[in-house]
Amino acid sequence: MIRPAGLADIPEIFILRTSVRENYMSILEMLRRMIWRRTIIPALQSGTLGVWVKEDRGKIAAFSMADKRDGHIFALFTRPGYEKTGHGTALLRTCEAWLKQNGLRRAELETLRNTNAHRFYLKQGWHELGSPPDDEHSVLLEKLL
C-alpha cells in the first residue's frame, strides 16, 4: 500500500535512507547537504513536499519525495531486500502524478551514472540532460508529464 508519509514516519525513512547499497549517504553527509528534519519537516507540513511510503507487511519498504515548486524528485529509495518488487515503480508513478496534478509539465531528478537507479529511470521513460556542474559521476534526467 502506498500512502502519504506523516511526521511519525520520518525517523524510519531516514533509517531506510542510510541502509541502501546504491547512492549511500550517511547521516553526517545528509547533515552537510541540509537533508534533515529541519528541511524535510517544514516542507512536508507546508505542502510543497510530497512524501510517500510503500509498506510491505507493516514495514516501510520504500519511500519517495518530490517538490512541487520545481518538479524535482529528490528521493526514491528501496530498503535492501525489497528491490525489484515494483515498489519503486509505483512510488515514481505517484510522484509523477502528484507533480502533474500540481500543474507541472516536467519533472527532473539526479542520480549516479551507470547504476541500477540510472537504468531504472531510463526504462521508465526518463531522458538524460547531461551532467550537473562539477559532478561528472551524476546525470540529470527529465520527464515530460
Side-chain angles (χ1 to χ4, degrees), residues 28-48:
L28 184 57
E29 289 170 307
M30 286 190 282
L31 282 170
R32 285 187 192 132
R33 292 182 179 204
M34 301 297 292
I35 305 170
W36 194 241
R37 295 175 190 178
R38 286 181 237 131
T39 56
I40 300 297
I41 291 172
L44 177 62
Q45 289 176 319
S46 73
T48 60

Side-chain angles (χ1 to χ4, degrees), residues 67-84:
D67 191 323
K68 71 178 182 181
R69 294 172 291 189
D70 59 8
H72 191 78
I73 298 174
F74 66 91
L76 179 58
F77 292 95
T78 302
R79 186 181 301 275
Y82 289 88
E83 299 97 338
K84 300 187 190 252

Side-chain angles (χ1 to χ4, degrees), residues 34-134:
M34 301 297 292
I35 305 170
W36 194 241
R37 295 175 190 178
R38 286 181 237 131
T39 56
I40 300 297
I41 291 172
L44 177 62
Q45 289 176 319
S46 73
T48 60
L49 182 69
V51 182
W52 298 271
V53 296
K54 177 74 167 97
E55 291 183 317
D56 190 305
R57 293 180 276 252
K59 184 178 190 177
I60 295 176
F63 76 94
S64 61
M65 296 182 181
D67 191 323
K68 71 178 182 181
R69 294 172 291 189
D70 59 8
H72 191 78
I73 298 174
F74 66 91
L76 179 58
F77 292 95
T78 302
R79 186 181 301 275
Y82 289 88
E83 299 97 338
K84 300 187 190 252
T85 59
H87 297 332
T89 301
L91 284 166
L92 182 60
R93 299 251 188 286
T94 300
C95 288
E96 293 169 355
W98 183 75
L99 292 171
K100 187 173 183 175
Q101 288 168 355
N102 279 283
L104 283 102
R105 294 185 175 185
R106 70 179 277 282
E108 63 179 35
L109 60 83
E110 182 179 330
T111 193
L112 293 172
R113 280 191 187 282
N114 303 317
T115 59
N116 290 327
H118 184 194
R119 290 182 287 279
F120 166 77
Y121 292 122
L122 293 175
K123 286 180 185 175
Q124 301 302 316
W126 287 71
H127 304 280
E128 290 188 20
L129 295 175
S131 294
D134 303 321

Side-chain angles (χ1 to χ4, degrees), residues 13-20 23-25 30 63 77:
I13 285 171
F14 279 94
I15 289 168
L16 189 160
R17 175 63 183 93
T18 59
S19 73
V20 299
N23 195 17
Y24 171 80
M25 191 180 295
M30 286 190 282
F63 76 94
F77 292 95

